Amino acid sequence: MPALLEADPDRIASAARRVMARCDELARVTAMPGGIERVYLSPEHARVNRLAAEWMRELGMRTRQDAAGNQIGRLDRIVGDRLDPDAPALVIGSHLDTVPDAGRFDGIAGVLIGLEIARLLRVPIGDGRFGVPLPFAIEVIAFSDEEGTRFGKALLGSSAVAGLWADDWWALTDAAGTSLRQAFLEFGLDPARIGEAARRPDELVGYLEAHIEQGPELHRRGEALAVVSSIASARRFQLVVEGEARHAGGTPYDMRRDALLGASEAALAVERICREEHHIIGTVGQLEAFPGAVNIVPGEARFSLDLRGEFDGERDRVWDALTRDLDAIMGRRGLRWHAREVHNAAAVMCAPLLQDVVREGIVGAGSSGGDEPPVIFSRAGHDGMSIGAIADVGMLFLRNPDGISHHPDEAVSASDVALGIRALADSVLHLAADRRS
Ligand SMILES: [Zn+2]
């Protein structure tokens, strides 16, 4: 299907330049000297929300900051010569918060691309007012907390919008001991009103997000854009291996029950088994030995495991295979082991219709040379994981040269951003055409 978007290339190129310039501008709003760090409910969060609100108002959007500190801009649907303030909205969003010493595009580029799509699709209706001639309204949401940097809990902003806020989160504290409740009050938000941030499914047509890929897949394939099929979710475990602490000099090898060696072999088993299953990725990111002295054979070892896959079933089968391997390893070494699951969430599948319109948008943008664009799953978490509870989710990835992310070297090119803007704007028009038919 041909592209539906009629926009001249100069207009798209200048939209991409504006996205790049604004990524630079937002990067200067930071709590970290010489780097980028912008966390939930901080003075920097307030400043980027004010900037985003200003940019939204320039486009003729109605703006508000919701009860969880998310910044929202809305272009109403045009019906006849009027605006319909109550029409369900297609949400285009991503997040403005960052990890410590972050790059400048993760999340941020997606919000700014959303604003450029609003700019391309808006139409004046007189009195300086703008709307969209579509069967739905367009909302751009800049989510306030995706990374979970400050309170150790990710997706706080989008969880509030999805109505998934849990009461026990109020007691979460940051590194300075400030509770989430206290931080709300200091930011000027009322914890008692958090429920007002929640949206009903019937208010939403769907959710689209453009995000830089946080891996090298597109770069390796020589492609600028991809359709995202699903957002993988991790299962996380804390594992403990128990052996016997003894004198490092006096204990011969045949008497040792070295817990650290058992844990090390387990970490290698994670790598081996996950490499055999190319859709599964497992990481041991923490490993500690106890009592932790240079002259004692470790009597206990603790390590973490993060396991992700495109499909929950595959991921769970890998965990089962791993447990059998661990039984064998520990049995051979005279060790005991146990695991506690600390996190388990289902993968979010992108809706088939939204995958379709994103694919049509990418084909129309010409980034795949007219061929079928790549379809990849996201190994990283995104706001769509919580929004999936109330709306269909679709995502588009932009090439990230070298694939590095959560790092100052994170990158995306202006020409790929231009392709992304064109593709996602066209996706919106395909969705509109689908809803009209
Ligand atoms: Zn992100």
Side-chain angles (χ1 to χ4, degrees):
M1 194 179 280
L4 299 177
L5 183 72
E6 291 171 30
D8 70 273
D10 288 349
R11 200 165 167 219
I12 302 277
S14 89
R17 279 197 301 275
R18 191 160 35 238
V19 167
M20 302 304 276
R22 286 176 170 179
C23 284
D24 292 343
E25 185 171 353
L26 292 174
R28 289 193 286 273
V29 183
T30 174
M32 180 187 168
I36 305 170
E37 179 172 355
R38 208 163 45 238
V39 302
Y40 191 32
L41 304 173
S42 63
E44 296 75 37
H45 170 190
R47 280 177 59 199
V48 292
N49 272 13
R50 277 198 298 275
L51 270 172
E54 208 175 286
W55 295 335
M56 288 166 171
R57 277 192 296 272
E58 274 171 26
L59 294 173
M61 299 181 112
R62 288 197 281 135
T63 65
R64 65 194 177 91
Q65 180 178 272
D66 76 6
N70 300 302
Q71 181 61 46
I72 303 173
R74 176 178 166 108
L75 280 177
D76 286 322
R77 175 187 182 192
I78 300 171
V79 181
D81 54 0
R82 292 182 24 256
L83 295 175
D84 176 0
D86 302 316
L90 174 70
V91 174
I92 306 173
S94 197
H95 59 96
L96 293 181
D97 68 314
T98 76
V99 294
D101 203 11
R104 61 188 60 200
F105 302 107
D106 172 359
I108 293 117
V111 173
L112 298 175
I113 286 171
L115 292 181
E116 294 309 320
I117 287 162
R119 188 190 306 273
L120 286 169
L121 301 181
R122 72 183 184 148
V123 169
I125 64 151
D127 314 334
R129 293 184 305 156
F130 287 82
V132 281
L134 300 171
F136 42 73
I138 296 273
E139 288 190 24
V140 175
I141 303 187
F143 289 109
S144 53
D145 174 272
E146 191 269 352
E147 306 286 4
T149 304
R150 181 167 178 190
F151 293 99
K153 172 109 195 107
L155 302 169
L156 288 171
S158 50
S159 293
V161 172
L164 301 173
W165 196 274
D167 258 349
D168 57 356
W169 295 353
W170 292 117
L172 293 170
T173 52
D174 66 8
T178 305
S179 71
L180 182 53
R181 177 182 297 279
Q182 187 59 32
F184 256 64
L185 295 169
E186 285 167 9
F187 193 79
L189 292 171
D190 180 356
R193 300 179 67 170
I194 187 68
E196 294 173 15
R199 305 293 293 269
R200 295 190 318 270
D202 63 294
E203 295 176 67
L204 306 176
V205 168
Y207 174 75
L208 286 177
E209 177 168 355
H211 202 286
I212 58 160
E213 193 201 354
Q214 293 170 290
E217 193 72 22
L218 285 177
H219 176 68
R220 285 183 177 172
R221 296 195 198 186
E223 296 272 359
L225 305 173
V227 182
V228 177
S229 58
S230 76
I231 311 170
S233 192
R235 276 181 90 176
R236 298 200 178 111
F237 301 89
Q238 292 293 337
L239 295 95
V240 178
V241 179
E242 291 167 356
E244 188 182 29
R246 292 179 69 125
H247 197 287
T251 313
Y253 278 114
D254 61 359
M255 286 182 68
R256 289 187 184 213
R257 291 163 53 219
D258 186 326
L260 179 61
L261 292 182
S264 306
E265 217 180 306
L268 291 171
V270 169
E271 186 197 35
R272 178 173 42 75
I273 291 173
C274 292
R275 286 187 86 132
E276 285 162 8
E277 305 273 340
H278 63 263
H279 286 303
I280 304 292
I281 199 136
T283 303
V284 174
Q286 300 169 322
L287 173 61
E288 265 188 302
F290 299 91
V294 290
N295 55 357
I296 303 178
V297 175
E300 185 176 308
R302 296 180 201 162
F303 62 102
S304 63
L305 172 63
D306 175 292
L307 210 53
R308 300 169 191 232
E310 180 170 12
F311 302 108
D312 296 341
E314 266 180 300
R315 182 194 61 183
D316 296 347
R317 271 195 300 284
V318 164
W319 169 245
D320 291 342
L322 252 172
T323 60
R324 287 190 295 275
D325 249 55
L326 263 58
D327 281 340
I329 292 165
M330 304 309 167
R332 193 158 25 77
R333 291 181 168 274
L335 302 165
R336 286 195 308 273
W337 75 282
H338 56 268
R340 187 165 62 89
E341 183 158 21
V342 291
H343 175 80
N344 183 345
V348 169
M349 308 308 289
C350 291
L353 172 63
L354 295 184
Q355 287 191 53
D356 263 4
V357 300
V358 170
R359 185 175 48 76
E360 284 167 336
I362 295 175
V363 171
S367 79
S368 51
D371 294 338
E372 281 298 301
V375 180
I376 61 182
F377 79 95
S378 175
R379 293 176 162 89
H382 296 290
D383 294 295
M385 294 170 78
S386 29
I387 298 302
I390 51 164
D392 282 351
V393 171
M395 279 192 84
L396 173 149
F397 270 174
L398 295 102
R399 169 169 48 196
N400 172 3
D402 191 42
I404 195 165
S405 185
H406 287 183
H407 187 279
D409 290 347
E410 186 178 274
V412 67
S413 72
S415 53
D416 285 356
V417 168
L419 286 167
I421 291 169
R422 181 180 280 279
L424 204 64
D426 205 45
S427 307
V428 174
L429 296 178
H430 279 288
L431 183 65
D434 180 86
R435 301 223 6 140
R436 283 195 194 100
S437 65

